[in-house]
PDB file of all heavy atoms in Angstrom:
ATOM      1  N   VAL A1202     305.564 120.939  93.669  1.00 97.00           N
ATOM      2  CA  VAL A1202     306.869 120.337  93.576  1.00 97.00           C
ATOM      3  C   VAL A1202     307.464 120.691  92.298  1.00 97.00           C
ATOM      4  O   VAL A1202     306.865 120.564  91.225  1.00 97.00           O
ATOM      5  CB  VAL A1202     306.825 118.794  93.748  1.00 97.00           C
ATOM      6  CG1 VAL A1202     308.251 118.236  93.541  1.00 97.00           C
ATOM      7  CG2 VAL A1202     306.301 118.370  95.083  1.00 97.00           C
ATOM      8  N   GLY A1203     308.720 121.299  92.309  1.00 97.00           N
ATOM      9  CA  GLY A1203     309.391 121.615  91.117  1.00 97.00           C
ATOM     10  C   GLY A1203     310.572 120.641  90.828  1.00 97.00           C
ATOM     11  O   GLY A1203     311.325 120.335  91.661  1.00 97.00           O
ATOM     12  N   VAL A1204     310.548 120.168  89.573  1.00 97.00           N
ATOM     13  CA  VAL A1204     311.577 119.235  89.136  1.00 97.00           C
ATOM     14  C   VAL A1204     312.355 119.916  87.982  1.00 97.00           C
ATOM     15  O   VAL A1204     311.696 120.212  86.937  1.00 97.00           O
ATOM     16  CB  VAL A1204     310.977 117.897  88.647  1.00 97.00           C
ATOM     17  CG1 VAL A1204     312.019 116.933  88.185  1.00 97.00           C
ATOM     18  CG2 VAL A1204     310.108 117.276  89.719  1.00 97.00           C
ATOM     19  N   TRP A1205     313.584 120.194  88.197  1.00 96.00           N
ATOM     20  CA  TRP A1205     314.364 120.958  87.199  1.00 96.00           C
ATOM     21  C   TRP A1205     315.672 120.223  86.839  1.00 96.00           C
ATOM     22  O   TRP A1205     316.224 119.492  87.617  1.00 96.00           O
ATOM     23  CB  TRP A1205     314.645 122.395  87.661  1.00 96.00           C
ATOM     24  CG  TRP A1205     315.576 122.522  88.880  1.00 96.00           C
ATOM     25  CD1 TRP A1205     315.249 122.237  90.114  1.00 96.00           C
ATOM     26  CD2 TRP A1205     316.926 122.834  88.785  1.00 96.00           C
ATOM     27  NE1 TRP A1205     316.318 122.456  90.917  1.00 96.00           N
ATOM     28  CE2 TRP A1205     317.438 122.822  90.145  1.00 96.00           C
ATOM     29  CE3 TRP A1205     317.825 123.149  87.814  1.00 96.00           C
ATOM     30  CZ2 TRP A1205     318.690 123.063  90.449  1.00 96.00           C
ATOM     31  CZ3 TRP A1205     319.111 123.483  88.084  1.00 96.00           C
ATOM     32  CH2 TRP A1205     319.553 123.437  89.432  1.00 96.00           C
ATOM     33  N   GLY A1206     316.172 120.615  85.653  1.00 95.00           N
ATOM     34  CA  GLY A1206     317.447 119.999  85.216  1.00 95.00           C
ATOM     35  C   GLY A1206     317.541 120.224  83.683  1.00 95.00           C
ATOM     36  O   GLY A1206     316.551 120.603  83.044  1.00 95.00           O
ATOM     37  N   GLN A1207     318.705 119.959  83.111  1.00 93.00           N
ATOM     38  CA  GLN A1207     318.936 120.210  81.711  1.00 93.00           C
ATOM     39  C   GLN A1207     318.102 119.275  80.861  1.00 93.00           C
ATOM     40  O   GLN A1207     317.493 118.308  81.327  1.00 93.00           O
ATOM     41  CB  GLN A1207     320.430 120.016  81.430  1.00 93.00           C
ATOM     42  CG  GLN A1207     321.325 121.096  82.029  1.00 93.00           C
ATOM     43  CD  GLN A1207     322.691 120.912  81.557  1.00 93.00           C
ATOM     44  OE1 GLN A1207     323.106 120.049  80.760  1.00 93.00           O
ATOM     45  NE2 GLN A1207     323.645 121.758  82.106  1.00 93.00           N
ATOM     46  N   ALA A1208     318.060 119.607  79.512  1.00 91.00           N
ATOM     47  CA  ALA A1208     317.291 118.747  78.583  1.00 91.00           C
ATOM     48  C   ALA A1208     317.885 117.384  78.585  1.00 91.00           C
ATOM     49  O   ALA A1208     319.091 117.161  78.796  1.00 91.00           O
ATOM     50  CB  ALA A1208     317.388 119.370  77.170  1.00 91.00           C
ATOM     51  N   GLU A1209     316.943 116.369  78.489  1.00 88.00           N
ATOM     52  CA  GLU A1209     317.346 114.940  78.482  1.00 88.00           C
ATOM     53  C   GLU A1209     317.836 114.428  79.740  1.00 88.00           C
ATOM     54  O   GLU A1209     318.443 113.315  79.830  1.00 88.00           O
ATOM     55  CB  GLU A1209     318.406 114.675  77.371  1.00 88.00           C
ATOM     56  CG  GLU A1209     317.964 115.155  75.985  1.00 88.00           C
ATOM     57  CD  GLU A1209     316.716 114.629  75.499  1.00 88.00           C
ATOM     58  OE1 GLU A1209     316.389 113.490  75.751  1.00 88.00           O
ATOM     59  OE2 GLU A1209     315.969 115.348  74.810  1.00 88.00           O
ATOM     60  N   ALA A1210     317.665 115.187  80.893  1.00 90.00           N
ATOM     61  CA  ALA A1210     318.197 114.714  82.144  1.00 90.00           C
ATOM     62  C   ALA A1210     317.234 113.549  82.733  1.00 90.00           C
ATOM     63  O   ALA A1210     317.591 112.867  83.603  1.00 90.00           O
ATOM     64  CB  ALA A1210     318.227 115.848  83.115  1.00 90.00           C
ATOM     65  N   GLY A1211     315.935 113.558  82.196  1.00 91.00           N
ATOM     66  CA  GLY A1211     315.071 112.528  82.674  1.00 91.00           C
ATOM     67  C   GLY A1211     313.914 113.041  83.481  1.00 91.00           C
ATOM     68  O   GLY A1211     313.229 112.277  84.184  1.00 91.00           O
ATOM     69  N   LYS A1212     313.641 114.349  83.442  1.00 95.00           N
ATOM     70  CA  LYS A1212     312.567 115.012  84.237  1.00 95.00           C
ATOM     71  C   LYS A1212     311.214 114.390  83.819  1.00 95.00           C
ATOM     72  O   LYS A1212     310.395 114.020  84.642  1.00 95.00           O
ATOM     73  CB  LYS A1212     312.574 116.499  84.006  1.00 95.00           C
ATOM     74  CG  LYS A1212     313.922 117.219  84.372  1.00 95.00           C
ATOM     75  CD  LYS A1212     313.812 118.684  84.160  1.00 95.00           C
ATOM     76  CE  LYS A1212     313.574 119.071  82.741  1.00 95.00           C
ATOM     77  NZ  LYS A1212     314.641 118.727  81.778  1.00 95.00           N
ATOM     78  N   THR A1213     310.930 114.376  82.505  1.00 95.00           N
ATOM     79  CA  THR A1213     309.599 113.965  82.013  1.00 95.00           C
ATOM     80  C   THR A1213     309.436 112.461  82.380  1.00 95.00           C
ATOM     81  O   THR A1213     308.342 111.942  82.767  1.00 95.00           O
ATOM     82  CB  THR A1213     309.558 114.112  80.493  1.00 95.00           C
ATOM     83  OG1 THR A1213     309.567 115.482  80.244  1.00 95.00           O
ATOM     84  CG2 THR A1213     308.205 113.578  79.983  1.00 95.00           C
ATOM     85  N   PHE A1214     310.533 111.695  82.175  1.00 94.00           N
ATOM     86  CA  PHE A1214     310.536 110.210  82.477  1.00 94.00           C
ATOM     87  C   PHE A1214     310.118 109.972  83.925  1.00 94.00           C
ATOM     88  O   PHE A1214     309.243 109.150  84.208  1.00 94.00           O
ATOM     89  CB  PHE A1214     311.903 109.629  82.172  1.00 94.00           C
ATOM     90  CG  PHE A1214     311.979 108.119  82.317  1.00 94.00           C
ATOM     91  CD1 PHE A1214     311.416 107.277  81.479  1.00 94.00           C
ATOM     92  CD2 PHE A1214     312.720 107.631  83.373  1.00 94.00           C
ATOM     93  CE1 PHE A1214     311.480 105.907  81.595  1.00 94.00           C
ATOM     94  CE2 PHE A1214     312.822 106.235  83.567  1.00 94.00           C
ATOM     95  CZ  PHE A1214     312.223 105.448  82.642  1.00 94.00           C
ATOM     96  N   LEU A1215     310.733 110.686  84.814  1.00 96.00           N
ATOM     97  CA  LEU A1215     310.398 110.503  86.247  1.00 96.00           C
ATOM     98  C   LEU A1215     309.031 110.989  86.584  1.00 96.00           C
ATOM     99  O   LEU A1215     308.327 110.393  87.380  1.00 96.00           O
ATOM    100  CB  LEU A1215     311.398 111.290  87.072  1.00 96.00           C
ATOM    101  CG  LEU A1215     312.844 110.707  87.044  1.00 96.00           C
ATOM    102  CD1 LEU A1215     313.814 111.693  87.781  1.00 96.00           C
ATOM    103  CD2 LEU A1215     312.910 109.277  87.797  1.00 96.00           C
ATOM    104  N   ALA A1216     308.595 112.091  85.918  1.00 96.00           N
ATOM    105  CA  ALA A1216     307.227 112.594  86.125  1.00 96.00           C
ATOM    106  C   ALA A1216     306.135 111.608  85.680  1.00 96.00           C
ATOM    107  O   ALA A1216     305.149 111.407  86.312  1.00 96.00           O
ATOM    108  CB  ALA A1216     307.000 113.908  85.369  1.00 96.00           C
ATOM    109  N   LYS A1217     306.453 110.882  84.558  1.00 95.00           N
ATOM    110  CA  LYS A1217     305.511 109.856  84.126  1.00 95.00           C
ATOM    111  C   LYS A1217     305.426 108.658  85.038  1.00 95.00           C
ATOM    112  O   LYS A1217     304.419 108.030  85.249  1.00 95.00           O
ATOM    113  CB  LYS A1217     305.922 109.408  82.749  1.00 95.00           C
ATOM    114  CG  LYS A1217     305.634 110.439  81.647  1.00 95.00           C
ATOM    115  CD  LYS A1217     306.046 109.937  80.253  1.00 95.00           C
ATOM    116  CE  LYS A1217     305.704 110.916  79.126  1.00 95.00           C
ATOM    117  NZ  LYS A1217     306.052 110.423  77.771  1.00 95.00           N
ATOM    118  N   HIS A1218     306.554 108.336  85.705  1.00 94.00           N
ATOM    119  CA  HIS A1218     306.565 107.268  86.669  1.00 94.00           C
ATOM    120  C   HIS A1218     305.687 107.719  87.896  1.00 94.00           C
ATOM    121  O   HIS A1218     304.900 106.828  88.390  1.00 94.00           O
ATOM    122  CB  HIS A1218     307.970 106.865  87.133  1.00 94.00           C
ATOM    123  CG  HIS A1218     308.646 105.853  86.262  1.00 94.00           C
ATOM    124  ND1 HIS A1218     308.437 104.503  86.547  1.00 94.00           N
ATOM    125  CD2 HIS A1218     309.426 105.974  85.209  1.00 94.00           C
ATOM    126  CE1 HIS A1218     309.089 103.774  85.592  1.00 94.00           C
ATOM    127  NE2 HIS A1218     309.688 104.642  84.810  1.00 94.00           N
TER     128      HIS A1218
END
Side-chain angles (χ1 to χ4, degrees):
V1202 175
V1204 180
W1205 67 281
Q1207 291 186 3
E1209 309 301 326
K1212 302 181 298 296
T1213 299
F1214 183 72
L1215 291 172
K1217 287 181 177 180
H1218 270 276

